[in-house]
Every structure is written in structure tokens, then in C-alpha cells.
Short mmCIF file of all heavy atoms in Angstrom, two decimals:
data_model
loop_
_atom_site.label_atom_id
_atom_site.label_comp_id
_atom_site.label_asym_id
_atom_site.label_seq_id
_atom_site.Cartn_x
_atom_site.Cartn_y
_atom_site.Cartn_z
N PRO A 1 12.90 58.17 -9.34
CA PRO A 1 12.06 59.12 -10.17
C PRO A 1 10.66 58.80 -9.92
O PRO A 1 10.28 57.62 -9.57
CB PRO A 1 12.52 58.85 -11.57
CG PRO A 1 13.16 57.42 -11.59
CD PRO A 1 13.70 57.23 -10.15
N ASN A 2 9.73 59.86 -10.02
CA ASN A 2 8.37 59.63 -9.84
C ASN A 2 7.74 60.30 -10.98
O ASN A 2 7.74 61.57 -11.11
CB ASN A 2 7.88 60.21 -8.58
CG ASN A 2 6.56 59.82 -8.12
OD1 ASN A 2 6.04 58.88 -8.79
ND2 ASN A 2 5.99 60.42 -7.12
N PRO A 3 7.09 59.70 -11.99
CA PRO A 3 6.62 58.27 -11.91
C PRO A 3 7.86 57.39 -12.27
O PRO A 3 8.80 57.86 -12.87
CB PRO A 3 5.61 58.21 -13.09
CG PRO A 3 5.87 59.42 -13.89
CD PRO A 3 6.54 60.47 -13.05
N SER A 4 7.67 56.15 -12.03
CA SER A 4 8.82 55.11 -12.22
C SER A 4 8.29 53.89 -12.88
O SER A 4 7.04 53.63 -12.75
CB SER A 4 9.39 54.81 -10.88
OG SER A 4 10.48 53.87 -11.04
N ALA A 5 9.07 53.10 -13.48
CA ALA A 5 8.56 51.82 -14.02
C ALA A 5 9.42 50.67 -13.51
O ALA A 5 9.10 49.53 -13.72
CB ALA A 5 8.68 51.94 -15.53
N GLY A 6 10.60 50.91 -12.82
CA GLY A 6 11.33 49.80 -12.52
C GLY A 6 12.12 49.84 -11.15
O GLY A 6 12.27 48.77 -10.55
N ALA A 7 12.39 50.95 -10.60
CA ALA A 7 13.12 51.03 -9.40
C ALA A 7 12.59 52.24 -8.54
O ALA A 7 12.17 53.28 -9.02
CB ALA A 7 14.60 51.34 -9.65
N LEU A 8 12.75 51.92 -7.20
CA LEU A 8 12.27 53.09 -6.22
C LEU A 8 13.45 53.25 -5.27
O LEU A 8 14.03 52.18 -4.83
CB LEU A 8 11.13 52.48 -5.46
CG LEU A 8 10.73 53.29 -4.24
CD1 LEU A 8 10.20 54.65 -4.67
CD2 LEU A 8 9.70 52.54 -3.40
N PHE A 9 13.96 54.43 -5.15
CA PHE A 9 15.02 54.65 -4.42
C PHE A 9 14.62 55.32 -2.96
O PHE A 9 13.67 56.30 -3.09
CB PHE A 9 16.01 55.65 -4.98
CG PHE A 9 16.74 55.05 -6.24
CD1 PHE A 9 16.17 55.23 -7.39
CD2 PHE A 9 17.91 54.30 -6.02
CE1 PHE A 9 16.85 54.68 -8.51
CE2 PHE A 9 18.44 53.73 -7.13
CZ PHE A 9 17.94 53.86 -8.42
N VAL A 10 15.00 54.86 -1.90
CA VAL A 10 14.63 55.45 -0.56
C VAL A 10 15.99 55.87 0.15
O VAL A 10 16.72 55.00 0.42
CB VAL A 10 13.73 54.53 0.32
CG1 VAL A 10 13.49 55.07 1.68
CG2 VAL A 10 12.53 54.06 -0.46
N ARG A 11 16.09 57.18 0.50
CA ARG A 11 17.26 57.56 1.20
C ARG A 11 16.99 57.28 2.76
O ARG A 11 16.12 57.82 3.34
CB ARG A 11 17.46 59.03 0.97
CG ARG A 11 18.88 59.46 1.39
CD ARG A 11 19.05 61.03 1.08
NE ARG A 11 18.83 61.15 -0.40
CZ ARG A 11 19.88 61.27 -1.18
NH1 ARG A 11 21.11 61.30 -0.78
NH2 ARG A 11 19.64 61.46 -2.57
N THR A 12 17.91 56.44 3.35
CA THR A 12 17.74 56.19 4.77
C THR A 12 19.04 56.50 5.58
O THR A 12 19.40 55.83 6.41
CB THR A 12 17.42 54.71 4.90
OG1 THR A 12 18.39 53.80 4.27
CG2 THR A 12 16.14 54.38 4.26
N ILE A 13 19.70 57.54 5.15
CA ILE A 13 20.95 57.95 5.70
C ILE A 13 20.74 58.18 7.27
O ILE A 13 19.83 58.86 7.60
CB ILE A 13 21.53 59.18 5.15
CG1 ILE A 13 21.80 58.90 3.63
CG2 ILE A 13 22.76 59.66 5.82
CD1 ILE A 13 22.13 60.10 2.87
N GLY A 14 21.44 57.50 8.14
CA GLY A 14 21.53 57.71 9.53
C GLY A 14 20.34 57.03 10.21
O GLY A 14 20.22 57.16 11.53
N MET A 15 19.45 56.41 9.53
CA MET A 15 18.33 55.79 10.08
C MET A 15 18.73 54.19 10.48
O MET A 15 19.37 53.52 9.65
CB MET A 15 17.09 55.75 9.20
CG MET A 15 16.63 57.12 8.93
SD MET A 15 15.24 56.87 7.75
CE MET A 15 14.94 58.68 7.35
N LYS A 16 18.13 53.70 11.51
CA LYS A 16 18.37 52.32 11.86
C LYS A 16 17.03 51.67 11.96
O LYS A 16 16.07 52.20 12.31
CB LYS A 16 19.11 52.32 13.28
CG LYS A 16 20.44 52.84 13.02
CD LYS A 16 21.22 52.62 14.36
CE LYS A 16 22.63 53.25 14.29
NZ LYS A 16 23.48 53.11 15.42
N ASN A 17 17.04 50.37 11.79
CA ASN A 17 15.85 49.51 11.84
C ASN A 17 14.75 50.11 10.94
O ASN A 17 13.63 50.33 11.41
CB ASN A 17 15.36 49.33 13.28
CG ASN A 17 16.54 48.61 14.03
OD1 ASN A 17 17.11 47.70 13.58
ND2 ASN A 17 16.62 49.03 15.31
N VAL A 18 15.12 50.33 9.72
CA VAL A 18 14.07 51.02 8.76
C VAL A 18 13.26 49.76 8.17
O VAL A 18 13.76 48.88 7.66
CB VAL A 18 14.78 51.68 7.72
CG1 VAL A 18 13.77 52.30 6.71
CG2 VAL A 18 15.65 52.85 8.30
N GLN A 19 11.90 50.06 8.19
CA GLN A 19 10.98 49.19 7.40
C GLN A 19 10.37 49.96 6.33
O GLN A 19 9.90 51.01 6.47
CB GLN A 19 9.84 48.65 8.25
CG GLN A 19 10.45 47.83 9.47
CD GLN A 19 9.37 47.39 10.40
OE1 GLN A 19 8.33 48.08 10.62
NE2 GLN A 19 9.50 46.22 11.11
N VAL A 20 10.47 49.33 5.03
CA VAL A 20 9.74 50.01 3.93
C VAL A 20 8.64 49.09 3.38
O VAL A 20 8.91 47.89 3.27
CB VAL A 20 10.79 50.31 2.79
CG1 VAL A 20 10.23 50.90 1.62
CG2 VAL A 20 11.96 51.23 3.39
N SER A 21 7.43 49.72 3.18
CA SER A 21 6.46 48.89 2.61
C SER A 21 5.77 49.77 1.58
O SER A 21 5.89 50.95 1.57
CB SER A 21 5.40 48.45 3.57
OG SER A 21 4.79 49.57 4.24
N ILE A 22 5.08 49.17 0.67
CA ILE A 22 4.37 49.85 -0.43
C ILE A 22 2.91 49.17 -0.51
O ILE A 22 2.77 48.01 -0.38
CB ILE A 22 5.15 49.74 -1.77
CG1 ILE A 22 4.47 50.63 -2.77
CG2 ILE A 22 5.24 48.26 -2.22
CD1 ILE A 22 5.29 50.83 -4.06
N ALA A 23 1.93 50.09 -0.64
CA ALA A 23 0.63 49.62 -0.77
C ALA A 23 -0.06 50.29 -1.87
O ALA A 23 0.13 51.51 -2.23
CB ALA A 23 -0.18 49.97 0.50
N SER A 24 -1.04 49.56 -2.47
CA SER A 24 -1.84 50.13 -3.60
C SER A 24 -2.88 51.11 -2.95
O SER A 24 -3.10 51.04 -1.83
CB SER A 24 -2.42 49.02 -4.52
OG SER A 24 -3.30 48.20 -3.69
N VAL A 25 -3.62 51.79 -3.89
CA VAL A 25 -4.69 52.63 -3.34
C VAL A 25 -5.83 51.79 -2.74
O VAL A 25 -6.61 52.33 -1.87
CB VAL A 25 -5.28 53.63 -4.38
CG1 VAL A 25 -4.26 54.68 -4.81
CG2 VAL A 25 -5.64 52.95 -5.65
N SER A 26 -5.99 50.55 -3.00
CA SER A 26 -6.91 49.72 -2.52
C SER A 26 -6.56 49.17 -1.20
O SER A 26 -7.38 48.48 -0.62
CB SER A 26 -7.30 48.50 -3.50
OG SER A 26 -6.11 47.74 -3.65
N GLY A 27 -5.31 49.43 -0.77
CA GLY A 27 -4.80 49.04 0.57
C GLY A 27 -4.03 47.72 0.51
O GLY A 27 -3.52 47.26 1.57
N ARG A 28 -3.83 47.08 -0.67
CA ARG A 28 -3.05 45.77 -0.75
C ARG A 28 -1.64 46.13 -0.58
O ARG A 28 -1.01 46.98 -1.28
CB ARG A 28 -3.23 45.14 -2.01
CG ARG A 28 -2.52 43.87 -2.18
CD ARG A 28 -2.91 43.12 -3.37
NE ARG A 28 -2.18 41.91 -3.48
CZ ARG A 28 -1.47 41.56 -4.62
NH1 ARG A 28 -1.68 42.17 -5.73
NH2 ARG A 28 -0.78 40.44 -4.62
N THR A 29 -0.97 45.52 0.41
CA THR A 29 0.46 45.61 0.61
C THR A 29 1.20 44.65 -0.27
O THR A 29 0.91 43.43 -0.35
CB THR A 29 0.83 45.35 2.08
OG1 THR A 29 0.05 46.29 2.92
CG2 THR A 29 2.27 45.57 2.45
N HIS A 30 2.26 45.12 -0.83
CA HIS A 30 3.15 44.44 -1.73
C HIS A 30 4.52 44.06 -1.18
O HIS A 30 5.05 44.88 -0.46
CB HIS A 30 3.31 45.06 -3.10
CG HIS A 30 2.06 45.37 -3.86
ND1 HIS A 30 1.53 44.45 -4.65
CD2 HIS A 30 1.10 46.40 -3.74
CE1 HIS A 30 0.39 44.91 -5.19
NE2 HIS A 30 0.13 46.08 -4.49
N ILE A 31 5.02 42.85 -1.34
CA ILE A 31 6.33 42.54 -0.92
C ILE A 31 7.33 42.96 -2.05
O ILE A 31 7.22 42.54 -3.13
CB ILE A 31 6.35 41.00 -0.67
CG1 ILE A 31 5.40 40.53 0.26
CG2 ILE A 31 7.86 40.59 -0.22
CD1 ILE A 31 5.38 41.17 1.76
N LEU A 32 8.32 43.61 -1.55
CA LEU A 32 9.37 44.06 -2.48
C LEU A 32 10.78 43.60 -2.03
O LEU A 32 10.95 43.29 -0.87
CB LEU A 32 9.43 45.66 -2.53
CG LEU A 32 8.19 46.43 -2.96
CD1 LEU A 32 8.38 47.88 -2.84
CD2 LEU A 32 7.81 45.99 -4.37
N THR A 33 11.56 43.33 -3.05
CA THR A 33 13.01 42.93 -2.65
C THR A 33 13.76 44.24 -2.86
O THR A 33 13.61 45.07 -3.74
CB THR A 33 13.52 41.92 -3.51
OG1 THR A 33 13.41 42.28 -4.87
CG2 THR A 33 12.74 40.59 -3.33
N GLY A 34 14.77 44.35 -1.96
CA GLY A 34 15.57 45.68 -1.96
C GLY A 34 16.79 45.42 -1.28
O GLY A 34 17.14 44.43 -0.57
N SER A 35 17.74 46.38 -1.33
CA SER A 35 19.07 46.38 -0.64
C SER A 35 19.42 47.78 -0.34
O SER A 35 18.99 48.74 -0.91
CB SER A 35 20.05 45.82 -1.49
OG SER A 35 20.20 46.48 -2.68
N THR A 36 20.22 48.02 0.76
CA THR A 36 20.73 49.24 1.10
C THR A 36 22.28 49.26 1.07
O THR A 36 22.90 48.42 1.51
CB THR A 36 20.29 49.60 2.57
OG1 THR A 36 18.87 49.44 2.61
CG2 THR A 36 20.80 51.08 3.03
N ASP A 37 22.76 50.38 0.45
CA ASP A 37 24.12 50.50 0.27
C ASP A 37 24.76 51.18 1.53
O ASP A 37 24.04 51.61 2.49
CB ASP A 37 24.62 51.20 -1.01
CG ASP A 37 24.19 52.68 -1.05
OD1 ASP A 37 23.80 53.21 0.08
OD2 ASP A 37 24.22 53.21 -2.09
N ALA A 38 26.07 51.37 1.53
CA ALA A 38 26.77 51.85 2.82
C ALA A 38 26.47 53.28 2.90
O ALA A 38 26.62 53.96 4.04
CB ALA A 38 28.34 51.72 2.51
N LYS A 39 25.98 54.08 1.90
CA LYS A 39 25.61 55.41 2.09
C LYS A 39 24.21 55.60 2.47
O LYS A 39 23.77 56.83 2.59
CB LYS A 39 25.81 56.13 0.79
CG LYS A 39 27.32 56.12 0.29
CD LYS A 39 27.51 56.75 -1.01
CE LYS A 39 28.90 56.75 -1.50
NZ LYS A 39 29.25 57.42 -2.76
N GLY A 40 23.40 54.60 2.73
CA GLY A 40 22.06 54.71 3.19
C GLY A 40 20.98 54.98 2.14
O GLY A 40 19.92 55.45 2.39
N LEU A 41 21.34 54.47 0.97
CA LEU A 41 20.39 54.54 -0.16
C LEU A 41 19.84 53.22 -0.47
O LEU A 41 20.59 52.31 -0.72
CB LEU A 41 21.00 55.17 -1.54
CG LEU A 41 20.13 55.43 -2.58
CD1 LEU A 41 19.10 56.49 -2.30
CD2 LEU A 41 21.06 55.90 -3.87
N SER A 42 18.59 53.00 -0.26
CA SER A 42 17.81 51.74 -0.58
C SER A 42 17.28 51.68 -2.00
O SER A 42 16.71 52.71 -2.40
CB SER A 42 16.77 51.47 0.47
OG SER A 42 17.17 51.52 1.64
N LEU A 43 17.48 50.56 -2.63
CA LEU A 43 16.88 50.42 -3.94
C LEU A 43 16.00 49.30 -3.91
O LEU A 43 16.25 48.26 -3.48
CB LEU A 43 18.10 50.00 -5.01
CG LEU A 43 17.60 49.62 -6.36
CD1 LEU A 43 17.00 50.75 -7.07
CD2 LEU A 43 18.89 49.22 -7.07
N TRP A 44 14.77 49.62 -4.41
CA TRP A 44 13.64 48.57 -4.35
C TRP A 44 13.12 48.39 -5.85
O TRP A 44 13.03 49.23 -6.56
CB TRP A 44 12.49 49.06 -3.64
CG TRP A 44 12.93 49.31 -2.09
CD1 TRP A 44 13.55 50.46 -1.56
CD2 TRP A 44 12.84 48.43 -1.07
NE1 TRP A 44 13.77 50.30 -0.32
CE2 TRP A 44 13.47 49.00 0.09
CE3 TRP A 44 12.50 47.08 -0.95
CZ2 TRP A 44 13.58 48.36 1.30
CZ3 TRP A 44 12.59 46.42 0.31
CH2 TRP A 44 13.17 47.10 1.40
N ASP A 45 12.97 47.17 -6.10
CA ASP A 45 12.52 46.65 -7.42
C ASP A 45 10.98 46.68 -7.47
O ASP A 45 10.29 45.98 -6.79
CB ASP A 45 13.01 45.20 -7.73
CG ASP A 45 12.57 44.69 -9.04
OD1 ASP A 45 12.02 45.46 -9.87
OD2 ASP A 45 12.65 43.45 -9.37
N ILE A 46 10.48 47.67 -8.32
CA ILE A 46 9.02 47.80 -8.42
C ILE A 46 8.53 47.31 -9.86
O ILE A 46 7.42 47.71 -10.28
CB ILE A 46 8.55 49.16 -8.16
CG1 ILE A 46 9.14 50.27 -8.98
CG2 ILE A 46 8.76 49.52 -6.61
CD1 ILE A 46 8.54 51.62 -8.85
N SER A 47 9.38 46.70 -10.54
CA SER A 47 9.09 46.38 -11.96
C SER A 47 7.85 45.33 -12.07
O SER A 47 7.23 45.25 -13.12
CB SER A 47 10.28 45.79 -12.69
OG SER A 47 10.75 44.57 -12.03
N GLY A 48 7.56 44.56 -10.98
CA GLY A 48 6.56 43.71 -11.05
C GLY A 48 5.16 44.31 -10.64
O GLY A 48 4.16 43.54 -10.59
N LEU A 49 5.06 45.53 -10.23
CA LEU A 49 3.86 46.11 -9.85
C LEU A 49 3.05 46.64 -11.18
O LEU A 49 3.65 47.14 -12.00
CB LEU A 49 4.10 47.40 -9.03
CG LEU A 49 4.71 47.06 -7.69
CD1 LEU A 49 5.05 48.35 -6.92
CD2 LEU A 49 3.89 46.17 -6.92
N ALA A 50 1.76 46.51 -11.08
CA ALA A 50 0.97 46.89 -12.13
C ALA A 50 0.95 48.61 -12.15
O ALA A 50 1.18 49.17 -11.02
CB ALA A 50 -0.48 46.43 -12.03
N PRO A 51 0.73 49.17 -13.28
CA PRO A 51 0.73 50.65 -13.27
C PRO A 51 -0.42 51.13 -12.44
O PRO A 51 -1.48 50.58 -12.20
CB PRO A 51 0.36 50.89 -14.85
CG PRO A 51 0.90 49.65 -15.57
CD PRO A 51 0.66 48.58 -14.65
N GLY A 52 -0.14 52.28 -11.78
CA GLY A 52 -1.16 52.82 -10.92
C GLY A 52 -0.46 53.68 -9.77
O GLY A 52 0.80 54.00 -9.80
N VAL A 53 -1.16 54.05 -8.81
CA VAL A 53 -0.79 54.86 -7.71
C VAL A 53 -0.54 53.99 -6.48
O VAL A 53 -1.30 53.10 -6.23
CB VAL A 53 -1.76 56.02 -7.38
CG1 VAL A 53 -1.37 56.89 -6.15
CG2 VAL A 53 -2.01 56.90 -8.57
N TYR A 54 0.60 54.27 -5.81
CA TYR A 54 0.97 53.44 -4.66
C TYR A 54 1.41 54.43 -3.57
O TYR A 54 1.76 55.61 -3.83
CB TYR A 54 2.06 52.51 -4.94
CG TYR A 54 1.69 51.38 -5.89
CD1 TYR A 54 1.69 51.63 -7.28
CD2 TYR A 54 1.25 50.15 -5.48
CE1 TYR A 54 1.24 50.57 -8.16
CE2 TYR A 54 0.95 49.15 -6.27
CZ TYR A 54 0.93 49.43 -7.69
OH TYR A 54 0.52 48.48 -8.63
N PHE A 55 1.45 53.93 -2.28
CA PHE A 55 1.94 54.70 -1.15
C PHE A 55 3.14 53.97 -0.47
O PHE A 55 2.92 52.77 -0.17
CB PHE A 55 0.71 54.88 -0.17
CG PHE A 55 -0.31 55.75 -0.63
CD1 PHE A 55 -1.44 55.23 -1.31
CD2 PHE A 55 -0.20 57.16 -0.69
CE1 PHE A 55 -2.49 55.94 -1.68
CE2 PHE A 55 -1.15 57.90 -1.28
CZ PHE A 55 -2.38 57.28 -1.81
N VAL A 56 4.18 54.62 -0.49
CA VAL A 56 5.42 54.09 0.16
C VAL A 56 5.49 54.51 1.61
O VAL A 56 5.32 55.71 1.86
CB VAL A 56 6.69 54.51 -0.56
CG1 VAL A 56 7.94 53.97 0.06
CG2 VAL A 56 6.60 54.11 -2.00
N ARG A 57 5.63 53.59 2.42
CA ARG A 57 5.65 54.01 3.92
C ARG A 57 7.06 53.46 4.47
O ARG A 57 7.57 52.37 4.27
CB ARG A 57 4.61 53.05 4.71
CG ARG A 57 4.61 53.23 6.23
CD ARG A 57 3.52 52.31 6.79
NE ARG A 57 3.87 52.26 8.29
CZ ARG A 57 2.82 52.62 9.12
NH1 ARG A 57 1.68 53.00 8.75
NH2 ARG A 57 3.19 52.54 10.43
N VAL A 58 7.79 54.49 5.06
CA VAL A 58 9.07 54.30 5.63
C VAL A 58 8.98 54.46 7.06
O VAL A 58 8.56 55.53 7.55
CB VAL A 58 10.09 55.23 5.03
CG1 VAL A 58 11.58 55.01 5.68
CG2 VAL A 58 10.18 55.11 3.48
N GLN A 59 9.29 53.49 7.87
CA GLN A 59 9.03 53.53 9.26
C GLN A 59 10.38 53.20 10.15
O GLN A 59 10.96 52.22 9.71
CB GLN A 59 7.95 52.59 9.73
CG GLN A 59 7.64 52.60 11.23
CD GLN A 59 6.46 51.66 11.52
OE1 GLN A 59 5.73 51.18 10.62
NE2 GLN A 59 6.28 51.47 12.88
N THR A 60 10.52 54.02 11.14
CA THR A 60 11.68 53.65 12.01
C THR A 60 11.05 53.66 13.37
O THR A 60 9.86 53.71 13.52
CB THR A 60 12.86 54.76 12.09
OG1 THR A 60 12.19 56.07 12.53
CG2 THR A 60 13.35 55.10 10.65
N ALA A 61 11.91 53.36 14.41
CA ALA A 61 11.30 53.35 15.75
C ALA A 61 10.57 54.59 16.24
O ALA A 61 9.68 54.55 17.06
CB ALA A 61 12.43 53.06 16.75
N SER A 62 10.98 55.74 15.69
CA SER A 62 10.40 56.97 16.07
C SER A 62 9.70 57.80 15.09
O SER A 62 9.07 58.80 15.33
CB SER A 62 11.48 57.96 16.72
OG SER A 62 12.47 58.21 15.75
N THR A 63 9.78 57.32 13.81
CA THR A 63 9.15 58.13 12.75
C THR A 63 8.46 57.34 11.59
O THR A 63 8.97 56.19 11.37
CB THR A 63 10.32 58.95 11.95
OG1 THR A 63 11.09 59.71 12.86
CG2 THR A 63 9.75 59.99 10.97
N VAL A 64 7.38 57.84 11.11
CA VAL A 64 6.74 57.15 9.95
C VAL A 64 6.52 58.34 8.95
O VAL A 64 6.09 59.39 9.26
CB VAL A 64 5.34 56.64 10.36
CG1 VAL A 64 4.66 56.07 9.11
CG2 VAL A 64 5.44 55.66 11.44
N ALA A 65 6.86 57.98 7.70
CA ALA A 65 6.75 58.92 6.53
C ALA A 65 6.06 58.11 5.52
O ALA A 65 6.32 57.00 5.17
CB ALA A 65 8.04 59.38 6.04
N VAL A 66 5.11 58.74 4.84
CA VAL A 66 4.27 58.11 3.72
C VAL A 66 4.51 58.99 2.56
O VAL A 66 4.16 60.24 2.57
CB VAL A 66 2.82 57.79 4.10
CG1 VAL A 66 2.02 57.21 2.96
CG2 VAL A 66 2.80 57.02 5.30
N ARG A 67 4.75 58.55 1.34
CA ARG A 67 4.77 59.31 0.13
C ARG A 67 4.08 58.52 -1.06
O ARG A 67 4.05 57.32 -1.03
CB ARG A 67 6.25 59.44 -0.35
CG ARG A 67 7.11 60.18 0.65
CD ARG A 67 6.75 61.70 0.72
NE ARG A 67 7.67 62.38 1.52
CZ ARG A 67 7.40 62.66 2.94
NH1 ARG A 67 6.38 62.21 3.45
NH2 ARG A 67 8.27 63.38 3.66
N LYS A 68 3.39 59.35 -1.79
CA LYS A 68 2.79 58.71 -3.06
C LYS A 68 3.67 58.64 -4.25
O LYS A 68 4.50 59.57 -4.45
CB LYS A 68 1.63 59.61 -3.38
CG LYS A 68 0.79 59.11 -4.59
CD LYS A 68 -0.46 60.04 -4.83
CE LYS A 68 -0.05 61.34 -5.53
NZ LYS A 68 -1.01 62.06 -5.94
N ILE A 69 3.56 57.53 -4.85
CA ILE A 69 4.34 57.34 -6.10
C ILE A 69 3.41 56.78 -7.18
O ILE A 69 2.24 56.22 -6.93
CB ILE A 69 5.56 56.28 -5.96
CG1 ILE A 69 5.03 54.89 -5.66
CG2 ILE A 69 6.53 56.85 -4.89
CD1 ILE A 69 6.20 53.83 -5.82
N VAL A 70 3.90 57.06 -8.44
CA VAL A 70 3.18 56.61 -9.69
C VAL A 70 4.00 55.56 -10.30
O VAL A 70 5.20 55.90 -10.63
CB VAL A 70 2.80 57.80 -10.56
CG1 VAL A 70 2.06 57.14 -11.76
CG2 VAL A 70 1.87 58.69 -9.78
N VAL A 71 3.42 54.32 -10.62
CA VAL A 71 4.20 53.38 -11.36
C VAL A 71 3.51 53.36 -12.72
O VAL A 71 2.34 53.18 -12.95
CB VAL A 71 4.03 52.00 -10.70
CG1 VAL A 71 4.62 50.92 -11.64
CG2 VAL A 71 4.62 52.00 -9.30
N GLU A 72 4.37 53.45 -13.83
CA GLU A 72 4.01 53.47 -15.26
C GLU A 72 3.97 52.15 -15.68
O GLU A 72 4.65 51.17 -15.33
CB GLU A 72 5.03 54.32 -16.06
CG GLU A 72 4.98 55.78 -15.63
CD GLU A 72 5.89 56.63 -16.52
OE1 GLU A 72 6.83 56.07 -16.91
OE2 GLU A 72 5.57 57.75 -16.86
#
């Protein structure tokens, strides 16, 4: 959900070698712990992030997607 306070879900169905990162509007990259299930849905714990706006970057060998999220 967006905004969120505890979890971030990233759908990675059919993607291989996916890298997910999150950065604050100031550019600071944050280390997140996450896991991917057999259906290609990744769950990332964002409960330790301060409230604010962040950018999630999902990168594969051929594609990069960036989305804005709000942490409450």
C-alpha cells in the first residue's frame, strides 16, 4: 500500500537477478531486508524508515523502474 508504515511489496514475476533499492529524497540509500516467494512477490520491511517520501528502484539486466512511495 502507498502510503505505508511497515511493508513494501514488489511484484517481480518472471524477472531474474532483480535488485531492489530505496532512497530518500536527499539521495541516501537504505539497506532493506526482504524475501521473494515462489509467485514472484517480494516483501520488504520498511518499518525502520523515518516518515517521508522515498524512491524505490527495481533493476534487472535490461530494465530499471523507479516509483515514489510515502512512509507514514
Side-chain angles (χ1 to χ4, degrees):
N2 193 10
S4 180
L8 170 69
F9 295 93
V10 178
R11 191 176 307 255
T12 58
I13 297 170
M15 297 180 190
K16 294 184 180 184
N17 300 324
V18 177
Q19 296 177 332
V20 178
S21 62
I22 188 167
S24 62
V25 292
S26 66
R28 181 173 178 227
T29 301
H30 298 270
I31 303 299
L32 301 177
T33 56
S35 61
T36 303
D37 67 13
K39 295 180 182 177
L41 187 63
S42 299
L43 172 63
W44 299 88
D45 179 12
I46 60 171
S47 61
L49 296 178
V53 176
Y54 293 85
F55 295 95
V56 177
R57 177 184 167 122
V58 179
Q59 181 174 350
T60 67
S62 61
T63 307
V64 175
V66 178
R67 300 289 185 265
K68 180 175 77 170
I69 64 165
V70 177
V71 176
E72 294 182 326

